[in-house]
């Protein structure tokens, strides 16, 4: 009995993926839930597991091909070639695993993780810029993607209609392929194809700059009270909340949530000619992983305690390091916080994660001389930055929001008293 291996549902607003790497070969015996193929989406990579034990059939879609949800990638034939479930070899340790391959979690279903550069992806030339039907027609007609030019498909990819339109032009009107010779790489250079995730990040950040009216305002926070409170209660906090540690992120998160409730435009978004205001906060928290930063989302963070926020962030950090974040954990945010201070950044201007309207940047804590009651004293200070979309957020709102965050952090009692 055979079972189809299909492209699974990929999450919110994600309808296509690229076949980044086949992890098994035709004829291989596989166990149920063994990872078979790695798909790369606009957000993360997804490993598709085997629906049953058996022998892998022909690969119906090659590496580098774009596929839609529901596309059949291959089949598995149940038979004597299948390895028994109980006889499966133990999963290799993470440090011994080949780059780009993740251990399969115990729960079935696709698992998402930050994309790794698939160095052996075979797609080249037109495969990166044209849909399969368009590539076939270009091959048959002897034309190149450079001659057809930028397509009308998603991300500028060439469609079959674009090729037909090009071929319908008089030959004299058809542009010739670019005469510029290809760039000659230095032997000391390494050329690596950008992953779909990195291309998407680059496009979205540039789109945010091109679309939104971005502006950044700065302030600084005296961290003395927070550091003193943390030192005084950290042991009790850990004991009370089953090992969850009290960090700065939960304090800044609660300070931000309180300020967002006071200035709702910063938690809103523009949709055409409308503004969508929200009565909830889905807080995106940038966390570091082996392949860079990802921004998982704490849903309904406004209803969570300090301990719940800390526990959720710690869980996201663990998943980011292990590469087990799921797609739905990376979408739906209404406001984001990024902490470049853990890498030593003193000041920066973060870029908003569209369609969000603002992002808060935290930075390194440094002892600096400041004036307090007419006296120069040394205090642990942190610069904070708010980048916002000036189309929806006025300067007064942005500055007032950042001042409120500063006040909430410098005097955490305000959070308890909600003042």
């Amino acid at each position: 009995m055979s079972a189809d291996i299909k492209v699974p549902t990929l999450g919110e607003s994600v309808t296509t993926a690229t076949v980044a790497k086949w992890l098994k070969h035709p004829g291989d015996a596989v166990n149920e839930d063994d990872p078979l193929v790695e798909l790369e989406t606009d957000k993360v990579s997804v490993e598709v597991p085997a629906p049953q034990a058996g022998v892998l059939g022909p690969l119906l879609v090659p590496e580098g091909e774009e596929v839609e949800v529901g596309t059949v990638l291959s089949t598995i034939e149940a038979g004597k070639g299948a390895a028994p479930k109980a006889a499966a070899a133990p999963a290799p340790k993470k440090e011994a695993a080949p780059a780009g391959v993740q251990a399969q979690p115990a729960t079935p279903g696709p698992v998402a993780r930050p994309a790794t550069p698939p160095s052996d992806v075979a797609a080249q030339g037109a495969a990166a810029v044209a849909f399969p039907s368009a590539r076939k027609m270009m091959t048959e007609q002897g034309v190149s993607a450079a001659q057809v030019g930028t397509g009308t498909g998603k991300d500028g990819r060439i469609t079959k209609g674009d090729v037909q339109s090009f071929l319908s032009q008089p030959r004299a009107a058809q542009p010739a392929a670019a005469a510029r010779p290809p760039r000659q790489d230095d032997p000391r250079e390494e050329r690596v194809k950008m992953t779909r995730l990195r291309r998407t990040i680059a496009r979205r950040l540039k789109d945010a700059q091109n679309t939104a009216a971005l502006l950044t305002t700065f302030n600084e926070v005296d961290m003395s009270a927070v550091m003193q409170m943390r030192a005084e209660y950290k042991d009790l906090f850990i004991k009370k909340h089953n090992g969850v540690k009290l960090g700065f992120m939960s304090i800044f998160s609660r300070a931000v949530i309180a300020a967002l409730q006071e200035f709702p435009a910063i938690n809103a978004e523009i949709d055409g000619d409308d503004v969508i205001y929200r009565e909830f906060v889905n807080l995106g928290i940038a966390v570091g992983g082996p392949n860079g930063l990802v921004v998982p989302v704490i849903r309904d963070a406004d209803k969570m305690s300090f301990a719940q926020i800390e526990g959720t962030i710690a869980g996201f950090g663990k998943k980011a390091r292990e590469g087990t974040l799921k797609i739905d954990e990376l979408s739906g945010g209404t406001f984001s916080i990024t902490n470049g201070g853990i890498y030593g950044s003193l000041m920066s201007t973060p870029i908003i994660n569209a369609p969000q309207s603002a992002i808060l940047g935290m930075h390194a804590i440094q002892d600096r001389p400041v004036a307090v009651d007419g006296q120069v004293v040394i205090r642990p200070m942190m610069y904070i930055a708010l980048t916002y979309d000036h189309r929806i957020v006025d300067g007064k709102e942005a500055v007032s929001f950042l001042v409120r965050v500063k006040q909430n952090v410098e005097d955490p009692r305000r959070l308890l008293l909600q003042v």
Side-chain angles (χ1 to χ4, degrees):
M1 182 177 179
S2 65
D4 290 338
I5 303 164
K6 297 182 178 181
V7 178
T9 300
L10 300 170
E12 180 184 21
S13 73
V14 181
T15 59
T16 63
T18 300
V19 178
K21 185 176 183 181
W22 279 98
L23 307 177
K24 300 289 185 180
H25 303 284
D28 283 356
V30 297
N31 295 309
E32 184 178 354
D33 295 334
D34 278 355
L36 302 178
V37 59
E38 181 181 292
L39 304 179
E40 192 175 81
T41 74
D42 289 348
K43 297 179 179 179
V44 288
S45 286
V46 176
E47 286 180 352
V48 180
Q52 66 179 30
V55 177
L56 184 63
L59 308 185
L60 304 180
V61 182
E63 293 179 357
E65 194 88 356
E66 183 167 308
V67 290
E68 297 181 349
V69 171
T71 300
V72 177
L73 303 172
S74 185
T75 58
I76 289 184
E77 293 288 342
K80 59 183 180 181
K85 186 81 171 182
K93 294 183 180 180
K94 292 187 184 301
E95 59 269 23
V101 179
Q102 286 290 331
Q104 184 68 23
T107 55
V111 175
R113 60 185 174 78
T116 56
S119 58
D120 55 352
V121 171
Q124 296 180 359
V129 296
F131 287 101
S133 58
R135 291 205 303 275
K136 181 180 178 181
M137 180 173 286
M138 285 190 292
T139 300
E140 293 173 347
Q141 298 297 327
V143 298
S144 68
Q147 289 176 288
V148 177
T150 303
T152 59
K154 184 179 180 182
D155 300 333
R157 297 186 74 181
I158 297 170
T159 66
K160 185 176 180 180
D162 295 327
V163 181
Q164 291 173 331
S165 177
F166 171 81
L167 294 172
S168 67
Q169 299 177 39
R171 283 291 174 182
Q174 294 179 2
R180 187 178 63 178
R183 180 184 183 274
Q184 296 297 318
D185 293 344
D186 189 288
R188 296 166 294 178
E189 297 176 334
E190 179 184 8
R191 182 183 293 270
V192 178
K193 189 176 182 63
M194 289 178 68
T195 65
R196 178 168 174 157
L197 174 63
R198 178 53 57 186
R199 295 198 307 269
T200 300
I201 291 172
R203 186 185 72 250
R204 292 188 65 186
L205 292 179
K206 190 59 182 173
D207 287 347
Q209 288 185 320
N210 293 340
T211 303
L214 299 183
L215 187 63
T216 304
T217 184
F218 299 91
N219 213 314
E220 61 179 351
V221 177
D222 185 341
M223 299 290 290
S224 300
V226 166
M227 295 176 71
Q228 181 180 348
M229 180 184 72
R230 184 167 177 258
E232 185 175 351
Y233 291 105
K234 65 178 182 179
D235 293 336
L236 185 60
F237 190 91
I238 292 173
K239 183 178 179 181
K240 173 71 175 178
H241 299 292
N242 300 317
V244 175
K245 296 180 180 180
L246 177 61
F248 295 131
M249 287 304 301
S250 63
I251 298 170
F252 269 90
S253 296
R254 291 302 315 179
V256 162
I257 290 167
L260 288 173
Q261 292 170 336
E262 188 174 350
F263 302 96
I266 298 175
N267 194 46
E269 74 172 69
I270 294 177
D271 183 19
D273 293 331
D274 300 326
V275 176
I276 300 175
Y277 291 95
R278 303 181 175 93
E279 296 181 356
F280 62 91
V281 177
N282 287 348
L283 195 60
I285 303 291
V287 296
N291 302 296
L293 289 177
V294 289
V295 189
V297 176
I298 305 175
R299 299 187 183 278
D300 295 317
D302 51 307
K303 298 179 181 178
M304 300 175 70
S305 66
F306 286 85
Q308 289 173 322
I309 292 174
E310 287 287 1
T312 303
I313 294 173
F316 283 155
K318 183 174 183 292
K319 287 184 176 182
R321 291 189 295 273
E322 295 175 350
T324 57
L325 281 168
K326 298 184 182 300
I327 292 176
D328 60 0
E329 292 175 316
L330 299 169
S331 59
T334 63
F335 183 91
S336 296
I337 300 177
T338 180
N339 184 7
I342 60 176
Y343 303 108
S345 172
L346 184 62
M347 187 177 291
S348 68
T349 57
I351 300 178
I352 64 173
N353 184 15
Q356 297 174 26
S357 296
I359 182 172
L360 178 76
M362 299 167 54
H363 300 93
I365 301 172
Q366 285 192 333
D367 286 341
R368 293 200 295 271
V370 295
V372 177
D373 298 328
Q375 301 293 322
V376 176
V377 296
I378 303 298
R379 292 289 176 85
M381 305 297 293
M382 175 195 289
Y383 290 117
I384 56 176
L386 179 75
T387 297
Y388 60 98
D389 187 348
H390 213 338
R391 296 177 303 164
I392 185 175
V393 180
D394 292 332
K396 178 182 177 181
E397 285 180 298
V399 172
S400 299
F401 171 88
L402 205 57
V403 168
R404 183 67 73 235
V405 171
K406 167 185 169 71
Q407 292 171 339
N408 290 339
V409 174
E410 289 186 339
D411 186 359
R413 296 172 298 179
R414 297 174 64 99
L415 300 175
L416 176 64
L417 299 175
Q418 297 181 336
V419 296

